[in-house]
Amino acid sequence: MAIQKEPGQKGVSWSNIAVGGIMNMVTTLGQPLEVLKTQMAANRSQTMWQACKTVWSRGGIVGAYQGLIPWAWIEASTKGAVLVFTASEVETASLTAGISPAFAGLLGGMTGGIAQAYATMGFTTCMKTAEITRHKTAATGVKPPSTWAVFADIYRREGLAGVNKGVNAVAVRQCTNWGSRMGFARLAETSIRKIKGKSETENLGAVDKIIASTIGGALATWNQPIEVIRVEMQSMAKSTANANRPAKLTIMNTLSFIYKENGIKGLYRGVTPRIGLGIWQTICMVSLADYVKIWVKGRQ
């Protein structure tokens, strides 16, 4: 939905705004938290401090941005627009139909999450995880291959199915991620309005919106086991490194493998950095997106 131009003014579109917002999100705090979370989920015996040291050993601050270029940027430049468009349309239609803001947010987030997973995130998430976990091969004395060598090898051996490995787990994660984030955030906004005596039509202040998004982002990490399963499915670790690891991974046998190897705690490895990541993403893609929508409407 493009903004109408004034004489001599350059146009701005929803796609520009969505892409710019999520590119900013991933390039600032997003990727370092993603790398730390993935490191802990893939190496479930590590503490957070050990994971931080491992990430730092890959080149200092550069290690914290591993996988940013090109995969995270490719993912960010596409999934933001898909999420914003889909979630916004579904949420608006739901509110028009008389559904409560919290449930409308839940439906919008779930639909947007599924859409972005299958439309854009399958291969980029797989390649980001491969990039972060490929250094496991260094433990065997073999020099880790380059990013593009990893991509070419996977594509040559397994085709499109290989580079989209774990996409179903990604879809389940994104569905529950954004459904929970938007649902809990809208529920928190409703509660804040009631506490402050505001009606549904009155806008909340920036601090209130950030508080609501913080609550939504933090509570949405209840699905961390899905994320750990996704990381394990996309990890570059070979099945020969662990005789108990299934050669052909599915969501259910990966869940069983992780539980047998690490117990219930293993399914929640990396939840702390993911809470930070979830809060940051929800602030950017819910609170900030709301302000952007208001600004766009005012410029039309």
Side-chain angles (χ1 to χ4, degrees):
M1 182 171 62
I3 298 172
Q4 293 176 352
K5 298 180 183 178
E6 295 175 2
Q9 178 188 17
K10 292 184 178 180
V12 182
S13 69
W14 254 115
S15 58
N16 297 136
I17 295 165
V19 169
I22 204 162
M23 286 286 280
N24 171 69
M25 177 190 74
V26 73
T27 307
T28 50
L29 294 176
Q31 190 63 12
L33 290 169
E34 176 75 23
V35 169
L36 182 59
K37 174 200 70 175
T38 302
Q39 176 67 28
M40 293 182 70
N43 302 273
R44 291 178 292 278
S45 62
Q46 288 188 339
T47 63
M48 183 180 290
W49 177 242
Q50 290 171 331
C52 287
K53 290 199 295 184
T54 300
V55 171
W56 190 259
S57 70
R58 296 174 187 159
I61 194 65
V62 175
Y65 284 91
Q66 195 174 15
L68 177 67
I69 302 171
W71 308 114
W73 276 3
I74 293 172
E75 179 185 275
S77 63
T78 53
K79 75 173 185 178
V82 173
L83 174 67
V84 170
F85 285 136
T86 309
S88 181
E89 289 299 315
V90 172
E91 187 175 18
T92 300
S94 300
L95 290 171
T96 303
I99 295 175
S100 69
F103 194 59
L106 175 67
L107 290 176
M110 289 174 67
T111 308
I114 292 172
Q116 70 173 186
Y118 284 112
T120 68
M121 290 185 66
F123 87 96
T124 51
T125 304
C126 179
M127 292 311 302
K128 278 197 307 179
T129 304
E131 171 71 14
I132 294 166
T133 62
R134 67 191 173 96
H135 288 269
K136 283 186 172 185
T137 60
T140 64
V142 179
K143 183 181 179 181
S146 69
T147 300
W148 291 106
V150 170
F151 177 81
D153 181 59
I154 293 174
Y155 185 79
R156 183 174 60 254
R157 288 186 290 107
E158 304 175 56
L160 287 176
V163 294
N164 279 282
K165 188 185 300 179
V167 68
N168 290 333
V170 173
V172 173
R173 184 196 70 173
Q174 292 304 103
C175 174
T176 52
N177 266 3
W178 287 108
S180 299
R181 287 169 182 169
M182 294 184 70
F184 283 133
R186 298 308 186 205
L187 184 61
E189 287 177 7
T190 300
S191 299
I192 291 171
R193 281 193 174 92
K194 288 180 179 178
I195 292 171
K196 293 197 168 185
K198 290 189 174 184
S199 68
E200 290 293 337
T201 57
E202 292 182 272
N203 292 326
L204 293 175
V207 174
D208 292 334
K209 297 284 287 184
I210 290 172
I211 290 171
S213 289
T214 298
I215 293 170
L219 292 180
T221 55
W222 65 267
N223 66 351
Q224 179 64 10
I226 300 171
E227 172 65 359
V228 175
I229 290 168
R230 192 273 306 171
V231 170
E232 185 64 35
M233 290 180 73
Q234 296 179 338
S235 172
M236 289 299 292
K238 302 296 183 183
S239 58
T240 53
N242 189 324
N244 296 322
R245 190 175 191 262
K248 187 173 179 61
L249 295 170
T250 65
I251 291 177
M252 292 311 297
N253 68 19
T254 305
L255 170 63
S256 177
F257 166 69
I258 294 171
Y259 182 76
K260 288 177 181 177
E261 291 290 309
N262 306 102
I264 194 68
K265 287 185 178 180
L267 291 167
Y268 282 90
R269 297 301 295 166
V271 71
T272 303
R274 187 158 178 254
I275 288 172
L277 179 62
I279 290 171
W280 180 237
Q281 288 180 330
T282 309
I283 289 172
C284 290
M285 299 305 291
V286 177
S287 294
L288 183 59
D290 286 346
Y291 280 108
V292 169
K293 282 190 280 187
I294 293 171
W295 179 77
V296 169
K297 288 179 180 178
R299 300 269 293 182
Q300 286 183 314

